[in-house]
Amino acid sequence: MPQLGLLPRKAWAALLSQILWSPYTACTRAVSSHSQVAEAVLTSQLNPNQEKSDFIIKTPKGTRDLSPQQMVVREKILGMVVSCFKRHGAKGLDTPAFELKDFDIAGQFDPMIPDAECLKIMCEILSGLQLGDFLIKVNDRRILDGMFAVCGVPESKFRAICSSLDKLDKMSWKDVRHEMVTKKSLAPEVADRIGDYVQRHGGVSLVEQLFQDSRLSQNKQVLEGLRDLKLLFEYLTLFGIAEKISFDLSLARGLDYYTGVIYEAVFLQTPNQAGEESLRMGSVAAGGRYDGLVGMFDPKGHRVPCVGLSIGVERIFSIVEQRMKVFGEKVRTTETQVFVATPQKNFLQERLKLIAELWDAGIKAELLYKNNPKLLTQLHYCENMGIPLVVIIGEQEMKEGIIKLRSVASKEEVTIKREHLVAEIQKRLSDS
């Protein structure tokens, strides 16, 4: 399963190793791998004698232009992610070259507390997107490695078999078993033992079952992983998200730097979405614990426990785009709240005075850049752009010192004294 962030965790780890051990900077909680780029650059400038990292940060390839509609959707998704990260105490830096997608916690903490918070963050973001029901699959690399050992997998084949297992979300067990036996030269009986385990999934009850397993219970790694998972489920229950988490022994996440808990989120297909086969996008968020990675890149070999998650913004963006096409959904490309219109000619000056008054009051307003637009044209524009309110001024309104305020959706109009217009609009906008 590829990483979902723009920077691989190995690159982030090298940055983090500089940041954590710089005399000028200390952090135990990072918003994203990408935001640390700027901080790492600053650190290197402040401390020129520090050893340089052995990687080069490049502008990501595959960028594309986005339409106004796409920008609105993208900003909404990113805004929700950023808001959630900040709610959980993360810090961020302005790094225009990259987009904020990752949340990482670095430091020595009591077991499973930061891990549980990462899963809570994933739940909050995926729930907030309102794209349907989802499930977060959880496993532990220690359980996985211990399972391989008790099943008879040679240690030299652990990573290769893990890579095959990682395909179970796209392939059947039969096909994965075939790959293990024919391409990875694993003994058929060993593959069958693995199959007995990796087709199991459940909650804390499955953790308890595995504690009683005669083979697994003899492996120290497995027991350590199971103890942590039991504790994790206690915290997930307290967070109110245990029903969204599935202990899944098939989850492998084939990246070899994971050292403990691993997790991956997928949207679920429901029966009434049977016609939406093209919307399946696989994993939309993932992460895990990688306690040994930072030390690999730190010149002094400091060990920094880390756990983090990546939100697959590009995949989520693609899902939202496809759903909009399937259901014919429209997206507002502006945030305009009020449109200034007139039914008569030669009222440009009055419209300009009125719109300036609205702008000065902090109200988002528009008008057509024409001297004498037709009223129907102006109203159609409001409907097409989703502008909720229209202010109408004409000869009669000028004489009486009033303004007409029209709701675009209901087509209802009310008459308001000119001096009360701003207050009335602000009241309606605050109530909506």
Side-chain angles (χ1 to χ4, degrees):
M1 183 67 213
Q3 278 301 102
L4 300 176
L6 286 173
L7 281 180
R9 288 203 192 281
K10 286 186 178 180
W12 179 83
L15 287 172
L16 184 61
S17 68
Q18 294 181 20
I19 295 165
L20 286 174
W21 305 115
S22 162
Y24 298 99
T25 313
C27 67
T28 57
R29 181 183 291 253
V31 170
S32 74
S33 57
H34 324 312
S35 67
Q36 300 300 340
V37 174
E39 194 165 354
V41 171
L42 178 61
T43 301
S44 65
Q45 292 172 344
L46 291 171
N47 188 6
N49 296 322
Q50 187 172 2
E51 293 187 31
K52 296 182 179 179
S53 304
D54 59 353
F55 69 94
I56 300 173
I57 299 171
K58 296 181 179 180
T59 302
K61 297 180 181 179
T63 56
R64 57 168 174 154
D65 293 332
L66 299 174
S67 69
Q69 291 85 358
Q70 290 172 319
M71 280 299 299
V72 170
V73 174
R74 191 182 190 84
E75 287 175 1
K76 183 177 180 181
I77 294 170
L78 288 172
M80 183 175 296
V81 172
V82 172
S83 175
C84 181
F85 286 177
K86 288 182 177 180
R87 187 163 61 248
H88 286 265
K91 67 173 184 175
L93 295 176
D94 181 17
T95 54
F98 297 101
E99 290 169 345
L100 187 153
K101 298 182 180 183
D102 297 347
F103 183 101
D104 297 274
I105 301 173
Q108 189 72 50
F109 303 107
D110 287 338
M112 296 297 103
I113 300 175
D115 309 67
E117 184 175 6
C118 284
L119 291 168
K120 174 64 172 171
I121 290 169
M122 289 174 75
C123 283
E124 288 179 11
I125 292 172
L126 297 178
S127 295
L129 290 169
Q130 297 182 336
L131 292 175
D133 201 10
F134 62 89
L135 184 71
I136 301 177
K137 296 183 286 186
V138 172
N139 199 1
D140 192 295
R141 286 302 287 266
R142 293 166 297 178
I143 296 175
L144 203 60
D145 287 349
M147 178 189 69
F148 288 157
V150 301
C151 288
V153 179
E155 189 171 349
S156 60
K157 292 183 181 291
F158 276 17
R159 296 286 76 85
I161 299 304
C162 186
S163 177
S164 293
L165 205 59
D166 204 22
K167 300 175 183 178
L168 270 175
D169 60 335
K170 304 178 186 69
M171 297 166 52
S172 67
W173 165 247
K174 181 180 178 181
D175 291 334
V176 170
R177 180 189 182 280
H178 179 75
E179 179 179 298
M180 288 178 175
V181 173
T182 61
K183 296 183 179 180
K184 308 287 178 69
S185 302
L186 190 67
E189 63 274 14
V190 173
D192 290 336
R193 291 187 202 117
I194 293 173
D196 290 339
Y197 289 113
V198 299
Q199 297 179 77
R200 300 191 203 180
H201 53 84
V204 69
S205 59
L206 179 56
V207 176
E208 297 290 357
Q209 289 176 25
L210 296 183
F211 268 124
Q212 306 304 318
D213 186 283
S214 59
R215 288 184 295 186
L216 292 181
S217 61
Q218 303 301 312
N219 185 279
K220 182 181 177 182
Q221 277 188 301
V222 171
L223 290 178
E224 288 177 355
L226 290 174
R227 278 193 289 267
D228 276 352
L229 279 188
K230 184 178 180 180
L231 183 60
L232 178 66
F233 270 100
E234 289 182 20
Y235 297 151
L236 298 179
T237 301
L238 293 172
F239 282 156
I241 59 170
E243 74 282 356
K244 292 291 186 183
I245 313 297
S246 173
F247 174 26
D248 192 325
L249 284 160
S250 71
L251 179 63
R253 296 216 26 89
L255 298 170
D256 59 8
Y257 53 72
Y258 285 116
T259 57
V261 171
I262 52 176
Y263 33 83
E264 191 169 282
V266 294
F267 283 114
L268 300 177
Q269 201 84 354
T270 57
N272 62 350
Q273 295 172 319
E276 301 178 32
E277 193 68 27
S278 63
L279 299 183
R280 290 190 177 184
M281 295 297 295
S283 171
V284 292
R289 177 159 288 280
Y290 51 106
D291 288 346
L293 187 57
V294 173
M296 292 168 54
F297 292 87
D298 184 77
K300 297 181 181 179
H302 290 288
R303 185 178 182 276
V304 183
C306 297
V307 63
L309 64 98
S310 295
I311 301 296
V313 173
E314 290 300 327
R315 289 186 175 185
I316 292 170
F317 181 51
S318 297
I319 292 173
V320 174
E321 273 195 304
Q322 290 183 62
R323 281 190 180 277
M324 288 169 59
K325 291 177 183 177
V326 170
F327 297 111
E329 296 174 1
K330 293 183 178 180
V331 175
R332 281 196 67 187
T333 56
T334 72
E335 296 182 7
T336 304
Q337 298 164 317
V338 181
F339 188 88
V340 178
T342 182
Q344 294 158 332
K345 294 182 178 180
N346 303 318
F347 266 80
L348 177 61
Q349 289 186 358
E350 292 304 321
R351 285 191 291 142
L352 292 177
K353 288 179 186 177
L354 190 52
I355 200 167
E357 185 179 339
L358 297 178
W359 286 337
D360 290 344
I363 295 170
K364 299 168 184 174
E366 279 189 63
L367 52 68
L368 284 189
Y369 304 133
K370 290 189 175 184
N371 280 305
N372 301 307
K374 294 180 179 179
L375 181 60
L376 193 60
T377 300
Q378 296 169 86
L379 295 178
H380 280 166
Y381 177 82
C382 293
E383 291 175 356
N384 292 334
M385 299 302 292
I387 300 172
L389 296 173
V390 181
V391 168
I392 301 175
I393 185 168
E395 289 181 5
Q396 191 65 30
E397 288 78 17
M398 282 281 293
K399 289 178 183 177
E400 298 179 13
I402 60 172
I403 296 290
K404 285 182 180 176
L405 185 60
R406 177 186 176 99
S407 168
V408 175
S410 67
K411 296 182 172 55
E412 294 179 357
E413 288 184 357
V414 295
T415 300
I416 299 168
K417 288 185 178 182
R418 169 68 183 259
E419 61 266 25
H420 297 159
L421 179 62
V422 168
E424 177 63 23
I425 290 175
Q426 289 174 332
K427 181 179 181 299
R428 289 191 178 214
L429 293 175
S430 64
D431 292 341
S432 62

